[in-house]
Amino acid sequence: MNRFESQLAAEKLARLSMDFQVTVLADWGEEISMGTSTWKEGTWSLAELDRLYDSLSLFANIMGGNENFKTNLGRVTVKKAGIGSHGGEAWRGEVTFSVTNLFTPWTVVHEFAHIWDENSGWNLSRRLERYTGGFTSRFLSSVKKYLRLADLNGFVKADEPGKRGRKPGCNKRGYFYGDKPSGSDWNFNRVEDFAESVAMYVGWGKDNALHDHAHARISRYELANGEIDPFFRTKDNWADYAKYFYPAGGDYAKTRRWRFVEEVVSKKPILQLG
Ligand SMILES: [Zn+2]
């Protein structure tokens, strides 16, 4: 971000604050030391502020507008930090994007969905787990791993086809997802399930920036075993996994996850769930 761009950025920050109660911690600006002033570029670009704003608009749209969004999520702070290989984190009203990895509209919706869940006291993800007929059991997960029924390398995942822990209960947490999520891996649990379900709902069947990602998550199960999926560039045994993830007729809107999000967003803002 240069000096000139920072003027446009200031307007964008004001709109993010007003429309979504989102505060971006600017890492650019004038730095004064020893009496001389130098411009600090920071890591944010104007395009990223636009992407953040536009993605939040898509999110707010499914809730019926910005006011509902603000009620559902509360105040949110956004910053960039070194967070390793993943694209984002969300915790205690704060969303962190990676300084090195690009964040996408999908990442924005996913991370803000975590904040929504957090603001409900993690009630939304618990309700999703129940609604879809899933449960979490480390014990049964251990049994499945011990009996060598897991798609793992023994008890842990390996970065190769058929060993990423995608089957129910074969993840780190022992999360036995119900119905058909759009995907799963070693890090999957009900909280991640909820965030992915929200992002899927935003992109599925709609002409927006999340559409391609949402549809690619489903169409990969039409591939043969050992094929590299063209969107995510991952090689896996897609045909084997289709029975866990590929919805009836390839239509994600027929899944319980889609219906759950549909029900949650069509109600009034969730202030307190009993
Ligand atoms: Zn997540």
Side-chain angles (χ1 to χ4, degrees):
M1 185 89 64
N2 62 37
R3 265 197 187 85
F4 173 72
E5 289 169 329
S6 74
Q7 293 171 19
L8 296 166
E11 283 171 38
K12 207 84 218 182
L13 295 197
R15 287 187 61 195
L16 280 161
S17 170
M18 198 164 64
D19 296 347
F20 304 115
Q21 278 186 163
V22 166
T23 306
V24 175
L25 299 183
D27 60 358
W28 64 88
E30 212 74 62
E31 263 195 336
I32 299 158
S33 83
M34 314 284 278
T36 51
S37 160
T38 46
W39 183 258
K40 194 175 153 217
E41 292 265 328
T43 60
W44 284 87
S45 68
L46 262 187
E48 284 177 311
L49 291 177
D50 283 335
R51 192 178 312 139
L52 175 61
Y53 186 91
D54 295 344
S55 310
L56 292 179
S57 297
L58 294 175
F59 198 165
N61 281 347
I62 67 160
M63 293 175 169
N66 296 353
E67 291 312 309
N68 290 350
F69 178 92
K70 288 189 263 189
T71 311
N72 285 338
L73 278 80
R75 294 191 174 278
V76 187
T77 304
V78 179
K79 67 173 171 43
K80 283 216 203 173
I83 51 171
S85 61
H86 50 300
E89 280 178 7
W91 183 242
R92 295 194 173 162
E94 191 168 278
V95 168
T96 308
F97 294 122
S98 163
V99 279
T100 47
N101 296 11
L102 186 87
F103 71 82
T104 63
W106 188 273
T107 320
V108 173
V109 173
H110 176 107
E111 299 306 334
F112 277 78
H114 281 318
I115 299 291
W116 182 20
D117 189 18
E118 178 180 54
N119 208 41
S120 78
W122 306 105
N123 219 313
L124 288 166
S125 50
R126 275 196 295 270
R127 282 172 61 199
L128 173 81
E129 182 179 37
R130 268 200 305 276
Y131 189 92
T132 51
F135 61 95
T136 304
S137 165
R138 282 181 195 268
F139 173 72
L140 287 177
S141 174
S142 301
V143 170
K144 202 165 177 179
K145 289 164 187 166
Y146 184 77
L147 294 175
R148 295 287 184 266
L149 295 171
D151 52 341
L152 292 166
N153 189 15
F155 287 81
V156 288
K157 63 152 181 174
D159 194 20
E160 50 186 288
K163 297 197 171 166
R164 293 190 172 91
R166 299 189 193 279
K167 291 185 186 175
C170 299
N171 41 65
K172 195 166 54 184
R173 288 286 180 85
Y175 179 49
F176 289 77
Y177 52 80
D179 195 38
K180 288 177 177 172
S182 59
S184 179
D185 63 15
W186 183 244
N187 293 314
F188 204 53
N189 56 39
R190 63 174 172 244
V191 169
E192 293 308 324
D193 195 355
F194 175 73
E196 286 294 89
S197 298
V198 171
M200 280 299 289
Y201 182 86
V202 172
W204 187 261
K206 302 197 190 81
D207 183 17
N208 64 31
L210 279 79
H211 171 278
D212 291 356
H213 190 126
H215 284 258
R217 282 181 66 82
I218 297 300
S219 60
R220 57 187 167 168
Y221 305 110
E222 293 165 3
L223 299 171
N225 286 339
E227 270 197 89
I228 295 175
D229 108 67
F231 193 89
F232 301 102
R233 313 299 310 164
T234 305
K235 185 203 263 193
D236 217 325
N237 298 331
W238 303 115
D240 288 352
Y241 285 117
K243 68 172 172 178
Y244 299 103
F245 306 113
Y246 193 72
D251 185 3
Y252 181 78
K254 299 247 160 61
T255 66
R256 292 189 75 81
R257 277 167 184 76
W258 188 90
R259 215 179 317 146
F260 177 77
V261 179
E262 168 85 357
E263 281 183 20
V264 169
V265 295
S266 15
K267 298 219 171 87
K268 292 284 155 218
I270 300 135
L271 286 165
Q272 209 57 261
L273 296 160

